[in-house]
Amino acid sequence: MGLLDRVERGIEKAVRGVFSTGSKAQVEPVEIASRLRREVDHKALTVAAGRTLVPNVFDVQLSDEDFRRAQEWGTPLAEELCDVVINHVRGQGYILQGPVRISFRRESGLRAGDFEIASSTEKSQGAPAPAPAQARPNVPAAPSRQPARLQPVLDIDGQRYSLNAQSIILGRSSEADIHIEDTGVSRRHLEIRTADGVTNAVDLGSTNGSYVNGQRVSGSTELTDGSTITMGRTKIIFRLLPASPGGRA
């Protein structure tokens, strides 16, 4: 179980021991994860149809007190936060120009509990063109798809998420592949599985259940173009769109 998952599930005593000194003002990893996703979305730049570039280098600025605590976690925390960015980039269908890097920096002007994130885009050395979503060298890129195939996507609150993996988890957890801000949604609520050209919705034992076209999901339910998925107050439309030659919807 990862560091961020422990925090999200409320059994993160080790984490809170580092990020707490008895003061109510403290920075927690889940806050940084949420802000990173927002920073990616805010800085997303569409350069052509199906090609939206996002930052890949992030500088987390912390108060003196929070910086000392972040140092104790060091690389493991930075790596898990990198994974948060990677999953968000893949879920949104964004493009990175180089590996994702996250670092922590002391900013004496900040109070304990406050933090800022500065982001930038750094192209990999020798890279002739923007690369598909990928991060550290040991993290594989999202699988590409062959031309002329149909690309499954989810439309959620005006945003489109390409399903570029065989398994996509939706939920309120910061580590879900697609994060849903809805109190009626469980942390790990629904899984979208795609295999052999067939996509199914699988409820993961959610508290309030999942519904496809008004019918509660029991086990798994096959999705077809235009299927409506309901989770809490959130409505999601499943679509099958022609994939571009680059393998993106």
Side-chain angles (χ1 to χ4, degrees), residues 221-235:
T221 299
E222 183 176 349
L223 300 175
T224 58
D225 187 32
S227 291
T228 299
I229 304 169
T230 304
M231 301 165 51
R233 297 183 302 276
T234 302
K235 289 189 177 181

Side-chain angles (χ1 to χ4, degrees), residues 75-76 78-80 82-83 86 90 98-101 124 133-142:
T75 300
E79 288 181 345
E80 293 225 21
C82 280
D83 290 338
I86 296 164
R90 288 176 176 171
V100 170
R101 297 204 310 275
S124 298
Q134 59 181 354
R136 300 184 306 278
N138 62 329
V139 179

Side-chain angles (χ1 to χ4, degrees), residues 44-167:
L45 176 64
T46 301
V47 295
R51 293 177 65 82
T52 300
L53 303 182
V54 293
N56 62 302
V57 178
F58 302 88
D59 186 20
V60 181
Q61 303 166 16
L62 300 165
S63 68
D64 291 341
E65 186 177 353
D66 288 320
F67 178 76
R68 288 193 295 271
R69 299 178 189 117
Q71 279 187 310
E72 295 187 40
W73 282 103
T75 300
L77 175 58
E79 288 181 345
E80 293 225 21
L81 291 172
C82 280
D83 290 338
V84 168
V85 173
I86 296 164
N87 290 334
H88 188 63
V89 167
R90 288 176 176 171
Q92 292 281 44
Y94 293 148
I95 293 175
L96 297 168
Q97 287 192 311
V100 170
R101 297 204 310 275
I102 294 176
S103 60
F104 302 102
R105 181 167 64 83
R106 179 187 290 108
E107 180 56 60
S108 58
L110 291 173
R111 296 179 301 177
D114 293 337
F115 67 98
E116 300 291 340
I117 293 179
S119 63
S120 61
T121 300
E122 290 188 10
K123 192 173 182 179
S124 298
Q125 293 295 326
Q134 59 181 354
R136 300 184 306 278
N138 62 329
V139 179
S144 61
R145 296 185 178 270
Q146 298 298 320
R149 294 185 61 185
L150 293 178
Q151 170 69 54
V153 302
L154 297 178
D155 287 338
I156 308 175
D157 293 334
Q159 295 185 336
R160 175 161 292 170
Y161 299 78
S162 295
L163 303 179
N164 290 324
Q166 291 183 342
S167 174

